[in-house]
Every structure is written in structure tokens, then in C-alpha cells.
Amino acid sequence: MNSADLGRRVGVPSTALFTDQYELTMVQAALKAGTADRRSVFEAFTRRLPEGRRYGVVAGTGRVLDAVENFHFEDEMLGFLRDQDVVDGPTLDYLADYRFSGDIWGYPEGEVYFPGSPVLRVEGSFAECVLLETVILSILNHDSAIAAAASRMSAAAGGRGLIEMGARRTHELSAVASSRAAYIGGFDTTSDLAAGFRYNIPTVGTSAHAFTLLHDSERDAFRAQVDSLGRGTTLLVDTYDVTEAVRTAVEIAGPELGAVRIDSGDLLLVAHRVRQQLDELGATETRIVVTSDLDEYAIASLAAAPVDAYGVGTQLVTGSGHPTCSMVYKLVARAASADPADELRPVAKKSMGSKSSKGGRKWAARRRDEEGVAEAEVIGTGPVPDELAGQQLLVELVKGGEVVAREPLDEARERHIAARAGLPMSAMQLSRGEPVLPTEYV
């Protein structure tokens, strides 16, 4: 992956306070103990997938790179930390000069992952790595959850168009991140102009019920919209009577009418009736778009309906019931000093519950069968077996503090399509089940 023309680079404010206080107090204590500069390796991973999910989707990597680049403490922030007595003077001096200078490796954006997959590996001094924990997790947990939901909806849609339209159902900044993640997961367009501006995602939108209600009649509303936006526009036909609205829409726009949108009722039944009516009126190329609280299950239930595109909002931007991936960020190896020659020692939390982790700096590879279908996620800490050398998953993202792997969003989107296609067919099932690939440790 190389840096490329990625469209507009919107200014990002410092991300240094997008963190938890204990990250800074750990740095203070480590500075005082003389251990802050110990060479360390942290990994972001999840111990389990959300219940019923068969694979996860990596999303947010590009935003993580922006966050790392912009993680620096401005004078006003340092003043706040001083005034609130969050950390002491020596720690403030350290934070004033902070810039991440380590290395980051990770699964490329759009790739799929499984329990234990080292989705992101951050290497550097303890202090500089631990400060990034919260912002990295907040991005990966949110964006990967949205991308996973989008992927399931994309699989259920079976190639039909998907419109992300959830901006009004979440925080305004989360809406932009959700649009980006949904695009990676297989959505085609967004209604959110900020997402289009920032990430070059195609944007769409025509009118709501309010526009029809504004006018003295539905005919007047349709005429106004067609006069303004052209015959190829999409007319919303369920404000009053659907049958009458479809007839009026074709009378005004002619058979060149681009699409009609249905936002209520029994979508399966109404879509069939509308398709029949459009064909009888000669509008055989007019598309049907359906909206109304859709999720992957509703989309799948409409597979037999003459629907051309789905608009999804609430369920998408909330992860379709799983708004987080439960990723964690753990120290897995550390040296006794900052000396590169010092051996990295595996470390891991021991727990009597389900929160234990495996130590060691890890690699990951995906073993495939003779037909090229994935059959296991293989994770190890020692030498990579020769037969897996060409199947390794982690790529270099940051080297010596410099981002080396920015890419256009379309590359992540295409990567996801290919990664999903390489999974067993059971990965596309919406029924509850275990991860489609086992995780093997070697």
C-alpha cells in the first residue's frame, strides 16, 4: 500500500485528550520508576466475536493513522492537565514533547478477523504506546462494528444497491465514521454530505415526506421535484396513497422516471404491486428503493421482492445490535530497557475468568484448502512455517513514527469483498453460529 491522492484531507484537531486519565498516570509512575522507556509491544484483539457473528471486519485503520499523527499535547491541554493536577511537572514535560516514534503493524483495512487475531500491533516505548490505547480502541471498536453489520447487510442484499442513511440516528461525528465503515463493508452510497466531503463516498438524496406535505397536492410536489432535479429523480410515493402516487409520478416524469421510494407498509407486498404497476405504465426501467427500519434480516426477507436498492439507517449505525467489537489493547511483550538488543519477553495477564490473554509478539496467517477457501486463522510467536509465509496478514502501517500505508477507501472496500469471498459459504448465513474459522495457536 502506498500513499496516494486520497481526496480532501480535512484538518483533524489534536487527539491527545481522547484518552482515559489512567493512561497518563501510568506514564507518570513509569517515568518515576525508570521503566517508561522499556521497549514494548501492545496488541489490539478481541477474545470473542459478538454473539452469533461468524467473522469480524477490520475498519477504522485509516482513522487510527490520522489519530496517531495528531496525538500531541497543545499548550492549552497541558494547562488543563496542570490546573486539574492530573499529572506532575516531569510528566507534563514529557507530554509536551510527545510524538509517537514507534512502529505499527496491522490487518489491512477491510480484512476479516477472528477471536485472537492481532488486528493491530503497536511497538515502541511503554509510555508512547500506552498513551494511544483509548483512542485506538474507540476507533476500532466503533468502526469495525459498523463494518461488520454493513457486511452482513451487503451479503443479504445479494448485489442490490445499499444506501447508508443513518446520520440522524447517531452522534454527528459518529455518523461520518459510520458512513466510512459502511462503505468498506459493502454499502454503495451515503446520505451524509460530511462523509462525502471527507472520504469521497458517493452521496445521494432527493426528498422527504415534508416536501410533499409542503405543497397543495402530491402532484404539485412531484412536479416541483422533477422540474428541479430532472426525470431521473427518485419520488417518494407513500405519503398518501401509493397506487395513486405511482400513477401521478409516471404521468409527470414519464417512463424515464429514475426511481420510486417506499418507506412504510408491507414492503414485500407493496414492492410487488408497485413493480407491476410501473411495468403496466411503461416505466419498466424505473427502479424501486425501499427504506423503513431495515436490518440484514429484513433485507434477506425481501430477496424475492422486485427491489433494486435498500436504504438503511438506525440498525446500521448501531451495529445491528452489536455497537462494539469488545476489542482490547494489551501489553504482550516487553524488554528490560530501551536497547533494541534487549530480548523481548512475553507477558500476559492471568485470569480465572475469560479475560486471560496470550503473551508474545504475534504473527498471523490464514491457512487455505486446495481450492483457496480459508480453513483456519493461524497465530504464532515463533518462526512462520514455510507453508504459511505467503499467507501472512499483518502489514506495516507506521514505521519510525511515519505513516507508510495510507490508501484510497475503495482499496479497503475491494479488499473486504475479496476477503469475504475467500471464507467458507457458511460465513454468509445470518443464523446464529460460531466463528466460521477456528483460531489455531502455534
Side-chain angles (χ1 to χ4, degrees):
M1 294 183 289
N2 298 311
S3 295
D5 179 5
L6 306 180
R8 298 176 179 86
R9 292 295 303 280
V10 178
V12 177
S14 168
T15 54
L17 293 187
F18 292 165
T19 191
D20 293 300
Q21 180 168 315
Y22 80 165
E23 314 290 9
L24 276 63
T25 54
M26 280 193 285
V27 169
Q28 175 177 306
L31 287 169
K32 188 171 183 179
T35 54
D37 65 346
R38 286 186 172 181
R39 193 158 56 96
S40 300
V41 180
F42 285 79
E43 289 174 354
F45 62 94
T46 185
R47 297 184 176 95
R48 66 193 65 83
L49 297 180
E51 183 181 358
R53 295 292 166 89
R54 296 171 184 255
Y55 62 91
V57 181
V58 178
T61 308
R63 297 208 307 120
V64 165
L65 298 181
D66 288 342
V68 171
E69 270 193 339
N70 290 282
F71 199 101
H72 57 272
F73 290 84
E74 298 171 348
D75 290 343
E76 189 174 3
M77 295 177 175
L78 294 168
F80 163 76
L81 297 175
R82 182 183 300 108
D83 294 344
Q84 297 299 314
D85 197 26
V86 174
V87 289
D88 60 17
T91 307
L92 289 171
D93 292 340
Y94 174 84
L95 297 178
D97 295 330
Y98 179 88
R99 293 292 189 280
F100 180 73
S101 63
D103 302 330
I104 299 178
W105 290 70
Y107 279 39
E109 198 160 21
E111 184 58 84
V112 296
Y113 69 89
F114 297 90
S117 297
V119 170
L120 203 71
R121 191 177 73 216
V122 182
E123 306 180 21
S125 72
F126 173 82
E128 65 178 336
C129 294
V130 78
L131 284 173
L132 298 176
E133 175 180 7
T134 302
V135 71
I136 285 175
L137 288 179
S138 66
I139 293 172
L140 291 181
N141 270 314
H142 174 270
D143 290 24
S144 297
I146 305 306
S151 179
R152 285 162 60 86
M153 294 173 189
S154 173
R160 294 174 176 178
L162 286 166
I163 307 163
E164 184 281 310
M165 47 194 302
R168 63 190 61 192
R169 299 295 188 235
T170 187
H171 185 281
E172 66 272 19
L173 298 182
S174 296
V176 181
S178 295
S179 295
R180 183 184 185 279
Y183 189 69
I184 291 171
F187 274 61
D188 304 292
T189 55
T190 180
S191 65
D192 192 289
L193 289 176
F197 175 78
R198 183 173 292 228
Y199 299 118
N200 287 338
I201 301 171
T203 60
V204 295
T206 52
S207 67
H209 293 290
F211 186 76
T212 300
L213 296 170
L214 168 70
H215 292 81
D216 294 336
S217 69
E218 193 168 52
R219 178 177 295 274
D220 288 346
F222 287 178
R223 170 62 65 191
Q225 184 173 327
V226 170
D227 287 348
S228 174
L229 301 178
R231 296 176 184 271
T233 192
T234 299
L235 294 174
L236 180 58
V237 296
D238 72 326
T239 304
Y240 303 118
D241 179 83
V242 173
T243 301
E244 182 61 29
V246 171
R247 182 182 301 110
T248 302
V250 176
E251 285 179 5
I252 292 172
E256 299 85 11
L257 175 62
V260 296
R261 178 163 75 95
I262 306 166
D263 188 50
S264 60
D266 183 337
L267 297 179
L268 178 62
L269 175 63
V270 176
H272 276 288
R273 289 177 174 174
V274 168
R275 181 73 272 161
Q276 180 179 354
Q277 185 181 9
L278 286 170
D279 291 346
E280 290 173 349
L281 293 171
T284 57
E285 300 300 316
T286 299
R287 302 167 69 246
I288 296 176
V289 179
V290 296
T291 53
S292 185
D293 293 327
L294 300 178
D295 61 9
E296 59 264 49
Y297 302 102
I299 291 171
S301 73
L302 292 168
V307 171
D308 299 285
Y310 306 93
V312 189
T314 302
Q315 291 301 318
L316 177 60
V317 299
T318 57
S320 195
H322 297 291
T324 180
C325 303
S326 299
M327 287 192 193
V328 295
Y329 182 90
K330 298 298 181 183
L331 180 66
V332 296
R334 59 92 173 169
S337 72
D339 188 346
D342 271 359
E343 179 185 2
L344 282 171
R345 306 173 185 176
V347 295
K349 173 183 177 180
K350 293 183 179 180
S351 173
M352 296 182 66
S354 59
K355 298 182 72 173
S356 61
S357 56
K358 295 183 180 294
R361 182 180 186 271
K362 300 175 190 66
W363 53 263
R366 190 160 297 146
R367 191 173 68 239
R368 301 180 183 277
D369 64 19
E370 294 179 354
E371 297 182 354
V373 178
E375 60 181 13
E377 194 86 340
V378 185
I379 300 171
T381 57
V384 180
D386 291 341
E387 65 272 18
L388 294 176
Q391 305 296 329
Q392 293 190 71
L393 293 165
L394 278 78
V395 299
E396 193 170 30
L397 302 171
V398 176
K399 183 176 183 178
E402 298 294 325
V403 174
V404 296
R406 279 206 172 84
E407 62 180 356
L409 200 57
D410 280 333
E411 289 191 17
R413 174 184 170 85
E414 292 165 6
R415 180 180 297 114
H416 177 61
I417 293 171
R420 191 175 67 186
L423 297 176
M425 291 184 64
S426 57
M428 303 304 108
Q429 294 177 346
L430 296 181
S431 57
R432 293 188 179 277
E434 296 300 313
V436 72
L437 295 187
T439 301
E440 298 179 1
Y441 291 94
V442 298

